[in-house]
Amino acid sequence: MEKIGFKQVFNENIIYSDFLDADWPAPRNVKVLITTRKGGKSNGCFSSLNVGAHVGDNLEAVAQNRAYVQQHVGVPLVFLNQVHGVDVVQAVDAAGELTDADACVDNTGNAACVVMTADCLPVLFCDRAGTVVAAAHAGWRGLAQGVLQNTIAAMQVDPMEIMAYFGPAIGPDAFEVGEEVREAFCNQIAAAEDAFQSIGGNKYLADIYQLARLILYREGVTQIYGGSHCTVLERENFFSYRRDGQTGRMASIIWLEQD
């Protein structure tokens, strides 16, 4: 990790002050903002830029944190009530409501797709023409059950035209899982075997980034970027439920900038 002024370089990603910038060849009108744990008003285990209102933090602090993020996004943020499922909604339909879903899509430019994470994998999507964007919350259950496939289908464009960006998630050196997780993927994708490293006792280290890549490849999405961080090991920059238990949430946000 190289420190340069107010930015820190992590492989292909750059943290500018409080936010993580996605380095991918998305169209100019596709905008991305990924929060870190820095720059907010929360205290204690939620310090400091927690955007999760469901984790036990002071709700006034969460509101201030969300307002701070909103200042950097040109359209309204649409937060979902994430349930580790596979449902996808139109962001404009979910605006102002706490809709049960784990992914949202927008082709209007009037809403920002948001997913919150603290170890689960946030996946951001756009098409090469810059006409549609989406965000998916992919914990292992949603990933195994089809949240990425459903998100791609909801975008209603040729998968070969879709780009995907992996935001910060638990890394392959920290994601310990049991046999049930391994079977959930290997029973449907033979190549998933390579994403699990046995550590004995029917326990494995799983590479959630690799599992997501395999699913996207199978769906025809081959332009895939990001996936270099570990929320567990990068304590100063990211919240991690696996590491800390009670903790905050980061937001991965994507939207279409209007002309």
Side-chain angles (χ1 to χ4, degrees):
M1 181 176 68
E2 180 185 11
K3 293 185 178 180
I4 306 175
F6 291 104
K7 66 182 180 181
Q8 298 173 298
V9 178
F10 295 96
N11 298 328
E12 79 274 18
N13 302 311
I14 301 176
I15 289 181
Y16 291 96
S17 184
D18 304 328
F19 304 130
L20 181 69
D21 181 60
D23 184 10
W24 63 331
R28 291 178 62 89
N29 68 314
V30 173
K31 303 300 179 182
V32 169
L33 184 150
I34 301 171
T35 69
T36 67
R37 67 181 303 165
K38 298 180 178 180
K41 300 295 185 181
S42 296
N43 296 307
C45 61
F46 306 111
S47 177
S48 62
L49 190 56
N50 167 45
V51 298
H54 63 293
V55 295
D57 192 7
N58 179 281
L59 293 182
E60 182 177 346
V62 175
Q64 292 181 51
N65 292 340
R66 290 188 176 188
Y68 171 61
V69 176
Q70 181 67 78
Q71 291 174 8
H72 296 80
V73 179
V75 291
L77 299 170
V78 176
F79 288 90
L80 305 172
N81 183 38
Q82 298 168 190
V83 294
H84 292 273
V86 298
D87 288 344
V88 185
V89 296
Q90 296 293 322
V92 289
D93 294 338
E97 311 219 356
L98 196 59
T99 303
D100 288 354
D102 283 85
C104 57
V105 177
D106 183 65
N107 62 5
T108 70
N110 294 320
C113 299
V114 183
V115 289
M116 294 182 292
T117 57
D119 285 333
C120 291
L121 174 62
V123 185
L124 304 178
F125 297 91
C126 71
D127 68 326
R128 291 198 294 183
T131 66
V132 61
V133 294
H137 162 247
W140 76 263
R141 290 180 179 83
L143 194 60
Q145 294 171 6
V147 69
L148 298 189
Q149 296 94 312
N150 289 358
T151 305
I152 292 166
M155 293 177 71
Q156 297 187 332
V157 295
D158 185 343
M160 292 297 293
E161 295 298 310
I162 292 176
M163 300 178 184
Y165 185 86
F166 295 158
I170 188 169
D173 294 326
F175 191 22
E176 182 179 325
V177 301
E179 185 65 35
E180 75 283 2
V181 178
R182 178 179 170 277
E183 289 181 354
F185 291 97
C186 294
N187 286 346
Q188 58 177 301
I189 306 175
E193 292 274 1
D194 294 336
F196 294 89
Q197 176 186 342
S198 176
I199 54 176
N202 289 325
K203 297 292 185 181
Y204 303 85
L205 289 176
D207 188 340
I208 198 168
Y209 293 123
Q210 180 62 10
L211 293 169
R213 287 189 193 97
L214 290 171
I215 291 169
L216 293 177
Y217 288 150
R218 188 177 63 177
E219 295 302 305
V221 177
T222 60
Q223 302 174 80
I224 304 171
Y225 306 89
S228 64
H229 287 291
C230 178
T231 48
V232 175
L233 299 182
E234 296 177 45
R235 181 183 296 270
E236 292 185 1
N237 293 305
F238 303 118
F239 296 114
S240 168
Y241 181 82
R242 177 69 66 102
R243 183 189 63 223
D244 298 326
Q246 189 174 28
T247 191
R249 297 294 186 270
M250 288 90 64
S252 294
I253 307 164
I254 189 166
W255 71 98
L256 293 169
E257 186 175 68
Q258 306 238 29
D259 291 335

